[in-house]
């Protein structure tokens, strides 16, 4: 998931099945004979997670100029599904890397044709539960892991494992600042399922030497991070607000990357799930209580007049910001079973377009 907390999704799925008469997820159609859609133009890839244990993850591509979308692209190009819970993407040197969480693998495909290269290794396995991928160099990348206690070091050129950075905690989101990588630690659940505690730390990795050099305390369950114009890292923490006994309110923290210290800047009522920065790095966007809100880092306050609410019956799930135009893309997972929708807004909150994607649209990547 945007933050695919697998056990929470499983609980939600059970709740949905117990309350509704046999809902059926939208499958990838094996009879679809439409030719693969080349994505040579500029646009945005949308990775649709699919339903946990249904292996119906899929890939979409949206062209904002023509206002057209093509769905099920990986399947059409390779005559095979992506797998179980597609989590994130990376795009480097004309290759698209697709991290598939519950299938425990990473695909490497041509970013234009989306075909797997059968003459070279195109799939990397042997993770515990891969989440995010960050490229340090063409032959070196880090991969976070929801179950493993550290970061995998992989060689994307030959798709091989070449090391592991032990952090002692599960790893999640990754953002770079200079030669350091900031890594969020989300939950203790997969280390100790009986634990009632949650991680409240962000760790700092020296990417030159592959070692942890610092650990910064923030709020409980940091779920996303963004870097501002001052190269400070902002961390949105869920707070485990659903837990009356062990929870706290969601909160927003600012990390001074020189001092490696954090200060709480804001506390929210309700739920806060996704954090992104605008292109100039002076404002932040977050999904708060099923609406997109804007936060000014100068005044340390929310804009009262900026409030993009989800449609009736909708569920804002993930978000990204186009680095050139500042347009805001927000995914709507709806009921987690039917195909979702992606909405595109201007930086002022005006809706520009929308399109249907696959089941649980989440990660987005601009090409």
């Amino acid at each position: 998931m945007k933050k695919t907390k697998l056990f929470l999704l499983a609980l939600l799925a059970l709740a949905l099945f117990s309350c509704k008469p046999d809902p059926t997820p939208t499958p990838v159609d094996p009879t679809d004979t439409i030719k693969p859609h080349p994505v040579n133009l500029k646009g945005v890839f949308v990775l649709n997670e699919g339903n946990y244990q249904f292996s119906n993850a899929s890939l979409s591509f949206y062209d904002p100029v023509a206002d057209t979308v093509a769905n099920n692209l990986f399947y059409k190009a390779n005559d095979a599904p992506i797998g179980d819970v597609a989590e994130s993407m990376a795009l480097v040197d004309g290759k698209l890397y697709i991290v598939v969480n519950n299938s425990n693998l990473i695909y490497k495909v041509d970013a234009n044709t989306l075909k797997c290269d059968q003459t070279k290794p195109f799939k990397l396995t042997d993770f515990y539960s891969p989440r995010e991928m960050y490229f340090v160099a063409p032959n070196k990348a880090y991969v976070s892991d929801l179950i493993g206690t550290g970061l995998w070091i992989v060689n994307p050129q030959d798709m091989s494992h070449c090391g592991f950075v032990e952090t002692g905690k599960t790893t999640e989101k990754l953002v770079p600042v200079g030669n350091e990588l900031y890594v969020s630690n989300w939950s203790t659940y997969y280390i100790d399922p009986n634990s009632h505690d949650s991680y409240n730390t962000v760790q700092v990795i020296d990417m030159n030497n592959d070692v942890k050099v610092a650990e910064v305390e923030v709020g409980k369950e940091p779920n996303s991070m963004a870097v501002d114009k001052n190269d400070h890292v902002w961390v949105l923490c869920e707070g485990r607000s659903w837990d009356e006994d062990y929870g706290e309110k969601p909160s927003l923290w600012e990390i001074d990357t020189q001092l490696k210290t954090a200060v709480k800047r804001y506390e929210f009522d309700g739920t806060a799930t996704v954090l992104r920065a605008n292109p100039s790095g002076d404002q932040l966007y977050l999904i708060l209580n099923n609406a997109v809100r804007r936060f000014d880092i100068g005044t340390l306050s929310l804009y009262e007049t900026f409030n993009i609410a989800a449609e009736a019956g909708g569920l804002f799930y993930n978000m990204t910001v186009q680095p050139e135009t500042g347009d805001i893309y927000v995914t709507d997972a709806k009921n987690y079973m039917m195909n979702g929708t992606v909405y595109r807004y201007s930086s002022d909150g005006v809706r520009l377009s929308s399109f249907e994607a696959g089941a649980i649209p989440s990660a987005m990547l601009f090409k």
Side-chain angles (χ1 to χ4, degrees):
M1 292 157 58
K2 63 178 168 298
K3 192 159 211 8
T4 308
K5 284 99 171 181
L6 299 182
F7 74 100
L8 291 180
L9 181 56
L11 290 175
L12 178 58
L14 288 174
L16 288 171
F17 277 113
S18 65
C19 297
K20 297 184 179 181
D22 299 326
T24 302
T26 304
V28 173
D29 184 358
T31 65
D32 192 345
T33 58
I34 298 175
K35 293 181 180 180
H37 179 83
V39 287
N40 300 306
L41 304 175
K42 294 183 68 174
V44 59
F45 286 109
V46 179
L47 194 58
N48 307 290
E49 287 180 8
N51 304 95
Y52 179 51
Q53 295 188 329
F54 279 84
S55 293
N56 63 336
S58 65
L59 182 67
S60 303
F61 184 80
Y62 174 67
D63 179 348
V65 176
D67 192 24
T68 57
V69 61
N71 291 315
N72 290 339
L73 293 180
F74 185 93
Y75 185 92
K76 293 173 184 177
N78 299 287
D79 196 29
I82 291 178
D84 190 8
V85 187
E87 177 65 27
S88 63
M89 296 174 286
L91 179 60
V92 176
D93 295 334
K95 301 297 181 182
L96 181 67
Y97 297 81
I98 304 173
V99 181
V100 191
N101 175 239
N102 204 43
S103 292
N104 300 326
L105 58 83
I106 298 176
Y107 280 112
K108 177 183 179 181
V109 302
D110 185 282
N112 291 324
T113 67
L114 303 179
K115 284 184 173 292
C116 298
D117 188 346
Q118 298 293 334
T119 65
K120 297 179 181 179
F122 63 87
K123 183 167 64 174
L124 181 57
T125 59
D126 295 327
F127 299 98
Y128 300 129
S129 184
R131 305 290 283 175
E132 303 281 329
M133 186 178 190
Y134 175 74
F135 274 72
V136 181
N139 63 348
K140 177 184 176 182
Y142 292 117
V143 179
S144 61
D145 200 297
L146 185 65
I147 297 177
T149 57
L151 294 173
W152 300 94
I153 306 173
V154 302
N155 185 339
Q157 293 186 332
D158 62 12
M159 295 295 277
S160 65
H161 286 269
C162 50
F164 191 80
V165 181
E166 182 63 50
T167 66
K169 296 181 179 179
T170 60
T171 53
E172 182 64 16
K173 301 300 182 183
L174 311 173
V175 296
V177 178
N179 293 320
E180 295 179 329
L181 188 68
Y182 283 71
V183 181
S184 67
N185 310 115
W186 172 67
S187 177
T188 61
Y189 179 82
Y190 293 102
I191 303 301
D192 181 7
N194 296 317
S195 173
H196 292 288
D197 203 358
S198 299
Y199 288 137
N200 64 336
T201 50
V202 171
Q203 296 175 322
V204 186
I205 306 300
D206 179 340
M207 292 189 284
N208 291 327
N209 300 301
D210 302 323
V211 294
K212 183 182 76 173
V213 295
E215 184 167 291
V216 184
E217 184 174 324
V218 291
K220 285 188 176 182
E221 296 191 356
N223 63 24
S224 49
M225 299 183 290
V227 181
D228 71 12
K229 64 180 182 179
N230 303 312
D231 279 343
H232 285 193
V233 174
W234 291 77
V235 185
L236 183 63
C237 302
E238 293 176 33
R240 198 183 174 108
S241 57
W242 49 268
D243 191 331
E244 294 183 359
D245 295 326
Y246 299 94
E248 59 187 38
K249 287 186 176 182
S251 54
L252 182 63
W253 296 68
E254 180 184 8
I255 297 178
D256 184 319
T257 53
Q258 296 297 316
L259 301 176
K260 303 293 188 294
T261 58
V263 177
K264 183 193 293 187
R265 293 304 191 186
Y266 209 89
E267 193 170 74
F268 308 98
D269 291 317
T271 59
T273 54
V274 182
L275 181 71
R276 301 288 182 257
N278 70 344
S280 58
D282 60 350
Q283 296 175 352
L284 304 173
Y285 297 104
L286 66 153
I287 296 179
L288 174 64
N289 298 325
N290 208 23
V292 177
R293 302 296 307 276
R294 186 162 66 188
F295 183 87
D296 186 274
I297 68 170
T299 62
L300 300 177
S301 62
L302 288 169
Y303 281 78
E304 293 298 330
T305 58
F306 191 97
N307 189 328
I308 304 173
E311 299 266 327
L315 178 65
F316 277 171
Y317 192 66
N318 206 347
M319 173 177 54
T320 192
V321 179
Q322 215 283 347
E324 296 173 354
T325 65
D327 289 351
I328 307 163
Y329 288 72
V330 190
T331 70
D332 184 344
K334 299 188 182 296
N335 65 355
Y336 290 106
M337 307 304 292
M338 63 193 297
N339 283 344
T341 300
V342 179
Y343 297 96
R344 177 169 65 109
Y345 300 90
S346 72
S347 58
D348 294 325
V350 177
R351 184 188 292 184
L352 302 175
S353 62
S354 64
F355 58 92
E356 183 177 297
I360 313 181
S362 184
M364 291 169 282
L365 182 64
F366 294 99
K367 179 177 183 289

